[in-house]
């Protein structure tokens, strides 16, 4: 078990091995970054279950280490958080700091996985459809050069899905399961953004 300072931010997820740039401007989170820099440079990214102050947290987050940091004259920070390891929240701690802290267990690193060629092809085909439908410009030659883990986790981290969908991806048990869910989500959100009047939210 370990004590983790957390940054609860709806819609923001981090994966081991990936980076997340953050602009820190609220006083409590400026204090959080200053505290982390003075200790071990680590912050846990986790989503709250609702976008409101003090909302309960989802169970799974990702511990990150502050890499690049730019301290601005007015006290704000620009940082890049480097994902290290997923964690499971055991309980939230009663603390006097302005930022929240939890007791958590670090989860074992996901084993190296390689997608079957048909899984990779299915994903890339659906990703092209989704990108075209959303109007995204994508360098597909660069995409083709990415290894399976970087591709699937990278898309999972930046995809424009709702917080519940992004959380489901983070919690997926392995790369193949995450890939399959990602394909389903691209199909789901592609349909709802193109045809349904009200769209839809995955619960």
């Amino acid at each position: 078990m370990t004590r983790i300072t957390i940054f609860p931010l709806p819609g923001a997820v981090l994966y081991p091995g990936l980076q997340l740039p953050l602009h820190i401007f609220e006083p409590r989170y400026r204090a959080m970054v200053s505290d982390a820099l003075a200790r071990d440079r680590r912050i846990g990214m986790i989503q709250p279950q609702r976008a409101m102050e003090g909302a309960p947290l989802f169970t799974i987050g990702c511990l990150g280490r502050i890499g690049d940091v730019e301290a601005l004259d007015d006290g704000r920070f620009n940082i890049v958080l480097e994902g290290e390891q997923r964690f499971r929240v055991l309980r939230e701690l009663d603390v006097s700091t302005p930022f929240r802290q939890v007791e958590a267990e670090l989860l074992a690193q996901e084993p190296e996985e390689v997608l079957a060629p048909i899984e990779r092809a299915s994903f890339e085909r659906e990703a092209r459809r989704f990108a075209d439908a959303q109007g995204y410009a994508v360098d597909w030659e660069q995409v083709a050069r990415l290894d399976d883990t970087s591709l699937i986790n990278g898309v999972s981290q930046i995809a424009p899905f709702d917080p519940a969908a992004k959380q489901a991806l983070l919690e997926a048990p392995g790369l193949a399961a995450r890939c399959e869910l990602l394909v389903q989500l691209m199909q789901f959100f592609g349909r709802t953004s193109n045809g349904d009047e009200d769209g839809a939210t995955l619960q």
Side-chain angles (χ1 to χ4, degrees), residues 5-8 22-39 41-43 66 69-79 97-100:
T5 292
I6 57 162
F7 187 9
L22 295 166
H23 177 64
I24 309 296
F25 58 91
E26 283 191 53
R28 59 182 160 174
Y29 296 128
R30 284 158 33 186
M32 173 193 71
V33 170
S34 296
D35 177 75
L37 290 172
R39 292 185 302 104
R41 301 178 74 95
R42 285 173 172 80
I43 293 170
I66 298 174
V69 56
E70 178 187 14
L72 304 176
D73 291 340
D74 59 3
R76 292 174 298 139
F77 292 96
N78 290 319
I79 65 173
T97 55
F99 45 86
R100 298 166 73 177

Side-chain angles (χ1 to χ4, degrees), residues 6 49 51 53 65 68 71 82 93 100 102 111 137 148 166 196-197:
I6 57 162
Q49 294 183 25
E53 184 67 30
R65 184 182 187 278
D68 294 341
E82 300 170 348
L93 299 172
R100 298 166 73 177
V102 299
D148 293 342
K166 295 186 78 113
D196 296 357
E197 291 183 5

Side-chain angles (χ1 to χ4, degrees), residues 42-58:
R42 285 173 172 80
I43 293 170
M45 291 301 302
I46 193 165
Q47 294 195 108
Q49 294 183 25
R50 297 186 297 277
M52 59 178 287
E53 184 67 30
L57 303 167
F58 280 109

Side-chain angles (χ1 to χ4, degrees), residues 166-184:
K166 295 186 78 113
Q167 187 66 30
L169 287 165
L170 182 65
E171 295 182 10
L175 194 67
R178 187 170 295 128
C179 176
E180 182 180 357
L181 178 57
L182 199 48
V183 169
Q184 293 172 358

Side-chain angles (χ1 to χ4, degrees), residues 13-14 32 35 42 64 69 75 109-110 114 150 161 170 174 176 196:
V13 294
L14 177 64
M32 173 193 71
D35 177 75
R42 285 173 172 80
V69 56
Q109 295 285 17
E110 293 182 0
V114 177
S150 297
F161 302 148
L170 182 65
D196 296 357

